[in-house]
Amino acid sequence: MPELVLESNGRTWTLDTSRSYTLGRDPQGDIVFDDARVSWRHATVSYNGRSWAIEDHGSTNGTFVQGQRIHQMEIGPGSSLHLGNATDGPRLNLSGAAAPVGGQPQGVAPYAAQGAGAPGWAQQQAPQQAAPPQSVPHQAPAQQNPQPGWQQPQAGAGFPQQQAGPPEQYAQKTPGGGAGAPPVYGDRSPTTFHQFSIGRVMRIGRSLENELVVSDLQVSRHHAEFHSTPDGRMEIRDLGSHNGTYVNGQPIAKGGSALLGPNDIVGVGHSTFRIVGDRLEEFVDTGEVSFSARHLTVTVDGGKQILKDVSFGVPEKSLIAVIGPSGSGKSTLLKALTGYRPANQGEVLYDNRNLYKQFAELRQRIGLVPQDDILHKELTVKKALKYAAKLRFPADTTAQERDSRIDEVLRELKLDIHKDKKVTSLSGGQRKRVSVALELLTKPSLIFLDEPTSGLDPGMDRDVMQLLRGLADDGRTVLVVTHSVAELALCDKLLVMAPGGAVAYFGPPEEALNFFGYDSWADVFSAFENYRDYDWAGRWKGSQHYQMYAADIDAVAPQSVHMPPPQAMKPPKPQGWGSQLITLIRRYVSVIASDKGFLALTVILPAVLGAVSLLIDSDKGLLVNPVNPRTHVPIPNGTATTVLLILAVGACFAGAANSVRELIKERVIYERERATGLSRSAYLMSKVVVLGAVTVLQGLMVGLIGFSSREIPAEGVVLGNSTLFELCLPIMALGFTSMMFGLVISSLVKTAEKTMPLLVMFAIIQVVFTGCLFTLHGTVGVNEFSYLMPSRWAVAAAGATLDFNNIAPNADDPGSTDPLWDHAASAWGIDMVALIVLGVVCGFLVSRFLRRHEPEVMRK
């Protein structure tokens, strides 16, 4: 069996045919290269029984033989190859002669050999034996200790030499801005080149008639165009695109333009462009992106730090698990990594681009699956994904294009056999797959999941983790926050958070227990609880694992987060406001129509409430003044106020009950959709339109049942002979305004359980301030407070029609009349306008309260 000798930069390795050898930057690999252009796991050399062969594992910058990129080929003595660059990447020379192994790269001893001790060491001896934390320099040269998982700018193949520079030039630049060429996907080689001549217009879009066709559903049919100005400069013009055109991560105005400098990058969907001379370079985000966090610190009111100096970096196509006890900052970390709540200090890098500063563009490439399902369980799987695709894709995508993408995702996740089932009928693991499918519609390169296995049995736990492993292997970076430790072996890296929000370990999961010196994770978590004051972060930074996996990232000095101006952070919306509103209304109607219980309650509740009012003096049936037959003097009629009280309370309760749970039950869905471009006002208006229509019809039913069987005045004060409808209008308006009050409650509470006590309290308060139980007019303070109650104005409007000042005069002061009850059109109009104003004010409050549940980086 022939041995093969590899030589590179003065080092030699003798390869035995009995095993395969991995090449890359991973310190745990067999042949390690300290070069940023080499991928983490770059390639494998093995003997296939006939000859030696090298196989490239989809590396970012490629493997080259005689200048040609190869994926798999046979090699032998006398040949040579380059890693990462065809000309100046690390070179490997192959020979068949025996050679000493003295150049073998230095490995890292297992942690057990570093003095970790036996299990239980952390509990018994850690405070004495833990190495003191090493001082971390505030700044280190960028060429030293390349960060795992991110590429430093290099003069790669296809880049003009005048743009290349020593790594030090790039180390101080802020990704996406500042002097010098901003990094584009780690400055790896462009995917495609396009020749650009002066005076020529190059249009970008999804349609085939564009000069530059981008096959991406995130891109509009005619998205943008490059053209030259009379003074010879280049300009990018947005053609009214739906998802926006970005320059250095910041959106340009819809239909607007921006002049381009020699170092500016233009983002369109998953593609990024840069003009270099007369050539347009295109970089396509294929999903194989690196991700890193540097010195993330989150401070809350009072100066308390709930996340302390968290740094880690992960390579492309990897699965990372985050575990830790309660109070270790896992949720805070997830919000910081996704931009929902940016860290006060530090930065998050998406393939070397600052996520916080370029959130408007990069948000389209990030998927987030919260712990709760982000879909409507009443819909079928296919229908739920249909509405999600309609909201997330540009308005000019066809139904066929959306359906094709949905079917593709369903097949990938093996959900095609469940597509016609209601989401609520699926198992917990299958529902989680549907949530993942929803995020995969837009082909995100980076996927975050929060407790995806919570509440699942061990079998489903394994299935979900294997699903995530497959997503990473297919070319995505996946980070999962979990409490389950059963399937950590499927992950590439493990991040362990200690109490207080600091990193206790980051590295391969199989080495973690040995690092802590325990046999089980239960023992590790117990140690965290028993030794909360112990410096777990200091022990981590004093370890050799820290030097291997995090020291180079930590060496970059922390910096405060400087956000762009608020107006620059408002991201474009995939759909216009009207289109979003129609889609949301259709989805909401579908959800209601599929809930047979809600539909039945919608009809039964107003019918019962209206029927109850018929029990009040049913034998008399008068809502007018009865007249004494002998004296012909009207007799005060208390029946009218009692009936109206019952009808008003019924309308209040029905309207508020319809909406009091609507926003809280969809809060997780709203948070996620808002981050993908959902209009807040369109979402709120869809609730107002659908619930308003339902509530108004209920109010009409209550009014017709309560008034139609009783004697009412022959003429109203506004509608003349249509007195019945004039009496029903205040009840309908009261139901609508009460529904708006219900939305306010729903937007304020933190859990759905808190809505019912507030609903009951709201209904009781309305009873008190109708003016039917005691006289409000003339009661200083109480009367003014009653103006905030919708029942006060609704009863007053109906009272104006029925002439309450004569039917139910003030018993204590018969000469005193309530101006809101005047039998006049002006009083009726003021009462109705006040009801509408209260509803509008409630809508404004709901809109403001909804802002609290949006990504902080998006708030104006």
Side-chain angles (χ1 to χ4, degrees), residues 7 10 33 63 107 135 255 270 286 297 354 375 396 474 521 528 530 560 605 694 697 710 713 721 747 759 761 810 815:
E7 184 274 329
F33 293 90
T63 303
S135 59
H270 285 78
T286 59
T297 299
N354 191 304
L375 30 82
D396 59 5
D474 288 341
W521 283 108
F528 283 149
N530 295 332
S560 298
L605 181 62
V694 171
L697 290 176
R710 296 182 182 272
N721 295 329
S747 64
L759 173 62
M761 183 177 69
N810 189 343

Side-chain angles (χ1 to χ4, degrees), residues 445-773:
S445 303
L446 186 61
I447 302 177
F448 294 91
L449 299 100
D450 186 12
E451 299 287 355
T453 60
S454 177
L456 302 183
D457 60 52
M460 290 184 179
D461 181 357
R462 180 177 57 193
D463 290 344
V464 171
M465 292 302 292
Q466 287 177 342
L467 165 68
L468 303 184
R469 177 71 265 172
L471 293 178
D473 293 338
D474 288 341
R476 305 174 183 93
T477 301
V478 183
L479 187 145
V480 53
V481 175
T482 180
H483 277 112
S484 175
V485 296
E487 305 297 333
L488 294 180
L490 293 173
C491 302
D492 297 295
K493 290 291 185 293
L494 175 64
L495 177 67
V496 182
M497 301 293 293
V503 176
Y505 172 82
F506 178 71
E510 61 271 14
E511 299 178 20
L513 286 177
N514 191 31
F515 171 84
F516 288 107
Y518 288 102
D519 290 328
S520 69
W521 283 108
D523 293 332
V524 175
F525 280 40
S526 294
F528 283 149
E529 182 64 29
N530 295 332
Y531 297 93
R532 298 187 71 89
D533 295 332
Y534 178 66
D535 187 9
W536 296 101
R539 177 174 180 265
W540 155 242
K541 291 188 176 182
S543 70
Q544 195 165 356
H545 276 70
Y546 171 80
Q547 298 298 326
M548 294 165 55
Y549 301 114
D552 50 349
I553 305 171
D554 236 359
V556 181
Q559 54 182 283
S560 298
V561 179
H562 300 289
M563 303 304 297
Q567 63 271 17
M569 293 305 300
K570 187 177 180 181
K573 297 176 176 60
Q575 304 254 335
W577 189 89
S579 178
Q580 284 194 7
L581 176 62
I582 293 173
T583 302
L584 290 167
I585 290 176
R586 290 178 58 192
R587 182 176 70 177
Y588 195 23
V589 170
S590 298
V591 170
I592 292 177
S594 63
D595 190 347
K596 301 298 188 290
F598 179 81
L599 287 177
L601 189 62
T602 300
V603 176
I604 294 174
L605 181 62
V608 171
L609 293 174
V612 168
S613 70
L614 299 179
L615 302 177
I616 309 299
D617 290 341
S618 57
D619 56 332
K620 299 179 181 178
L622 300 177
L623 293 181
V624 295
N625 290 81
V627 179
N628 189 316
R630 287 180 298 177
T631 62
H632 303 285
V633 176
I635 302 173
N637 179 14
T639 301
T641 55
T642 305
V643 169
L644 200 54
L645 173 64
I646 297 298
L647 297 180
V649 172
C652 281
F653 187 81
N658 285 340
S659 61
V660 76
R661 287 179 177 264
E662 282 307 308
L663 300 183
I664 182 62
K665 76 178 184 181
E666 290 186 0
R667 182 160 297 173
V668 176
I669 299 175
Y670 172 75
E671 288 177 355
R672 184 65 196 120
E673 291 185 341
R674 178 66 176 145
T676 60
L678 179 69
S679 167
R680 184 196 315 141
S681 58
Y683 174 78
L684 177 57
M685 187 56 67
S686 70
K687 298 295 183 185
V688 172
V689 169
V690 177
L691 289 175
V694 171
T695 305
V696 166
L697 290 176
Q698 287 179 325
L700 179 61
M701 186 183 300
V702 170
L704 289 176
I705 295 175
F707 292 126
S708 60
S709 63
R710 296 182 182 272
E711 183 181 347
I712 59 177
E715 289 191 8
V717 295
V718 175
L719 301 182
N721 295 329
S722 302
T723 309
L724 177 61
F725 187 62
E726 185 177 310
L727 286 171
C728 288
L729 278 176
I731 303 300
M732 296 159 64
L734 175 59
F736 179 85
T737 305
S738 298
M739 180 272 297
M740 297 300 295
F741 269 88
L743 290 178
V744 172
I745 295 173
S746 190
S747 64
L748 279 173
V749 296
K750 293 184 178 180
T751 61
E753 290 74 17
K754 295 180 180 179
T755 58
M756 295 313 296
L758 293 175
L759 173 62
V760 173
M761 183 177 69
F762 172 76
I764 292 175
I765 292 176
Q766 299 311 306
V767 172
V768 174
F769 289 99
T770 55
C772 297
L773 297 181

